[in-house]
Amino acid sequence: MIYLNLVDELICVLCWGITIRLILIRHLNSETKVARFNTFAFVLMLLNLIVVLPIFAFLLKNLPIQSVSWLSSLVVATIDVLSTFNLILFCVFSCCTCLRKCPATVQGFLVLGAAVKHGQVPPVLATRLDKAINCWKTHQSAKIIVSGGIVQKAKESEAEVMAAYLIAHGIPARKIIRENKALNTWQNLAFASQL
């Protein structure tokens, strides 16, 4: 039982470690890679739900209560359950957000930056910009504020790269306001509010 506990905890740590790494990778340069990484993360979480959590339930039921193995199983299982629940909530929230329609009245749109690599818009950022483009088409009097500074030794600010993307997709340059100093989300909001 002790070995089963250790193996289960190791599998749990590997599933979550790899999944977190996949979630944090920001420089995916194609939608195919994004789909592949998302599928892999989904498989890992499925393994977590179908194999790891039931083994924890079995161990907690059959190990001697208050033993070191039982306590470590309890701690890891609790963290795993809470993390899995939060990930499921995040996925549901993300799906609901994607389905939301543009507001009825708009004066402007704020698009927060995400790390760009070699002056290219990664898929995560492209999704944000595409949503702004679609909403702008119904509110063409609105301005689009793109916010993001120069990070990770880039040659251009995130705002400049985002503005180029918007212009390439038919948004007039005069409708785009660049905030190119922000280096994190807090600064995105603080500096953009001054505009």
Side-chain angles (χ1 to χ4, degrees):
M1 288 279 220
I2 292 173
Y3 293 117
L4 178 62
N5 182 32
L6 291 174
V7 168
D8 195 42
E9 289 177 2
L10 179 63
I11 293 170
C12 178
V13 167
L14 284 173
C15 283
W16 272 104
I18 294 169
T19 300
I20 289 169
R21 184 176 182 279
L22 292 173
I23 290 169
L24 294 179
I25 290 175
R26 301 177 76 176
H27 300 298
L28 299 173
N29 55 10
S30 73
E31 299 223 7
T32 306
K33 282 187 179 179
V34 171
R36 195 174 338 134
F37 279 98
N38 287 344
T39 302
F40 188 44
F42 176 76
V43 168
L44 288 171
M45 285 300 102
L46 205 57
L47 175 70
N48 181 50
L49 286 169
I50 294 173
V51 176
V52 174
L53 287 173
I55 292 175
F56 276 131
F58 171 79
L59 289 168
L60 288 171
K61 183 178 179 184
N62 293 304
L63 284 170
I65 295 178
Q66 302 298 326
S67 68
V68 172
S69 294
W70 185 86
L71 289 172
S72 71
S73 285
L74 179 65
V75 168
V76 175
T78 302
I79 293 169
D80 191 9
V81 167
L82 290 173
S83 300
T84 302
F85 179 71
N86 283 330
L87 184 62
I88 290 168
L89 282 179
F90 174 76
C91 291
V92 169
F93 176 76
S94 294
C95 289
C96 291
T97 301
C98 288
L99 297 174
R100 284 182 27 201
K101 298 201 183 286
C102 297
T105 58
V106 175
Q107 294 178 345
F109 299 99
L110 172 61
V111 183
L112 303 182
V116 296
K117 190 173 185 179
H118 306 299
Q120 299 295 315
V121 173
V124 170
L125 184 53
T127 302
R128 294 178 191 176
L129 292 166
D130 291 340
K131 182 73 172 181
I133 291 166
N134 288 335
C135 288
W136 182 84
K137 288 178 182 176
T138 59
H139 302 288
Q140 293 188 7
S141 62
K143 301 272 188 180
I144 299 176
I145 300 171
V146 289
S147 179
I150 297 175
V151 293
Q152 300 175 353
K153 300 178 184 176
K155 294 181 182 176
E156 294 180 284
S157 68
E158 292 172 357
E160 289 300 325
V161 174
M162 292 190 301
Y165 182 93
L166 291 172
I167 291 167
H169 286 82
I171 305 296
R174 67 186 186 331
K175 293 292 184 176
I176 302 168
I177 300 172
R178 294 164 182 82
E179 184 293 300
N180 56 11
K181 294 181 185 134
L183 299 177
N184 57 49
T185 304
W186 179 255
Q187 289 178 356
N188 285 136
L189 298 174
F191 298 157
S193 68
Q194 295 169 6
L195 299 174

